[in-house]
Amino acid sequence: MGAVNRTPFIAGNWKMNLDHLQAVAFVQKLHWALKDAGHEAGTVEVGVFPPFTDIRSVQTLLDADKIEFSLGAQDLSVHDSGAYTGEVAGPFLAKLDAKYVIIGHSERREYHAEGDDVVAAKVQAALRSGLIPVICVGETADDLEKHGASAVPVAQLRAALDGVAAGAEVVVAYEPVWAIGSGQAATPQQAQDVCATLRGVVGELLGPDAAAATRVLYGGSVKSGNIAGFMREPDVDGALVGGASILVDEFAAIIRYQKHVGV
Ligand code: PGA
């Protein structure tokens, strides 16, 4: 697993699933499942990334029941306020105690034509609002064939970090597009190789302290059955989980990877 000074981070990207009532029921069940299993909060940071319409309800529950999950959003506007119909601003998310925001997910890049310039502007918007950007990068199957695994993720990360100050906290998620929702996860070695390279980019652009402190996650078809292999790798500090993050028992088992696999 990642170096001792980096708290492992298991983040659940719910995508467009679970309305606010389902969200509250899900978070309660997840909390109970972890409690029943004797999970020690604090050994692993657990993040939930619900749709915007759920965030207020989830925030209220986390606060009332003192549940130590971190809250994040799946996107934000590049602007802080104004005439941008349908957009959600970083300051609004910060007011709801959101700690993180996912930026540059491949589904946003593909379905909303978000290029590296938009991703970089969103990273700046997140940091302006005191949110930690979870910067997603990854190559398509075609990129992999043509350029190898690292070239596209490295270029995407360089663009996203353009103008970011050395002291800023970011999380990087390596998500090969071919592995997302496909059931075909990368191998732990593939994930390690690219995560190590991305950590090198963080070091080059933000300095050695940032390289040592930044969590680099793997994402793409992570399940309870394969999480252990990823977490054994020195440069993989956690996972960004999609499909398995809205299944209570699966997600609880992923969070509890230290127990059921003996890493
Ligand atoms: P998946 O999605 O776990 O369903 O492959 C990961 C993601 O898109 O973040």
Side-chain angles (χ1 to χ4, degrees):
M1 64 189 252
V4 281
N5 59 342
R6 295 192 292 269
T7 304
F9 186 23
I10 303 292
N13 172 14
W14 296 4
K15 309 193 179 182
M16 200 172 72
N17 294 293
L18 307 183
D19 63 36
H20 75 287
L21 298 173
Q22 294 168 322
V24 165
F26 176 85
V27 170
Q28 274 171 331
K29 281 188 204 153
L30 180 64
H31 176 56
W32 292 331
L34 291 170
K35 261 191 131 166
D36 283 352
H39 178 73
E40 263 179 68
T43 53
V44 173
E45 182 177 1
V46 177
V48 289
F49 291 74
F52 289 132
T53 49
D54 302 359
I55 291 179
R56 175 63 169 155
S57 305
V58 173
Q59 177 219 13
T60 304
L61 171 64
L62 297 181
D63 190 41
D65 288 9
K66 312 246 175 309
I67 301 174
E68 291 180 28
F69 298 166
S70 298
L71 186 56
Q74 298 174 18
D75 185 30
L76 87 172
S77 172
V78 298
H79 305 287
D80 294 342
S81 68
Y84 303 103
T85 302
E87 294 287 283
V88 174
F92 305 165
L93 298 170
K95 265 268 153 57
L96 289 168
D97 299 333
K99 181 175 175 190
Y100 295 100
V101 58
I102 295 172
I103 296 177
H105 190 280
S106 66
E107 288 153 15
R108 303 248 12 132
R109 291 181 191 262
E110 185 181 352
Y111 308 140
H112 300 271
E114 290 191 6
D116 285 342
D117 50 340
V118 173
V119 171
K122 288 189 172 185
V123 168
Q124 293 298 328
L127 294 172
R128 275 200 307 277
S129 298
L131 300 165
I132 301 170
V134 177
I135 302 168
C136 299
V137 298
E139 81 287 2
T140 63
D142 196 42
D143 296 329
L144 179 65
E145 203 174 298
K146 290 197 182 120
H147 314 289
S150 294
V152 167
V154 163
Q156 290 174 339
L157 185 59
R158 280 186 187 285
L161 292 179
D162 189 32
V164 172
E169 182 173 356
V170 302
V171 172
V172 177
Y174 169 51
E175 296 209 306
V177 180
W178 48 268
I180 295 176
S182 66
Q184 181 76 53
T187 65
Q189 189 61 54
Q190 284 173 314
Q192 164 60 24
D193 289 348
V194 180
C195 289
T197 304
L198 294 173
R199 188 179 305 288
V201 172
V202 172
E204 192 191 312
L205 298 179
L206 305 185
D209 291 351
T214 298
R215 269 94 53 90
V216 182
L217 316 181
Y218 166 76
S221 297
V222 170
K223 313 190 243 306
S224 60
N226 63 18
I227 183 69
F230 295 113
M231 298 308 289
R232 279 192 201 103
E233 298 296 340
D235 285 294
V236 179
D237 302 311
L240 183 54
V241 185
S245 77
I246 52 169
L247 305 172
V248 173
D249 293 340
E250 258 300 282
F251 196 53
I254 292 170
I255 292 163
R256 297 184 62 251
Y257 72 92
Q258 288 161 325
K259 289 287 179 280
H260 65 96
V261 296
V263 283

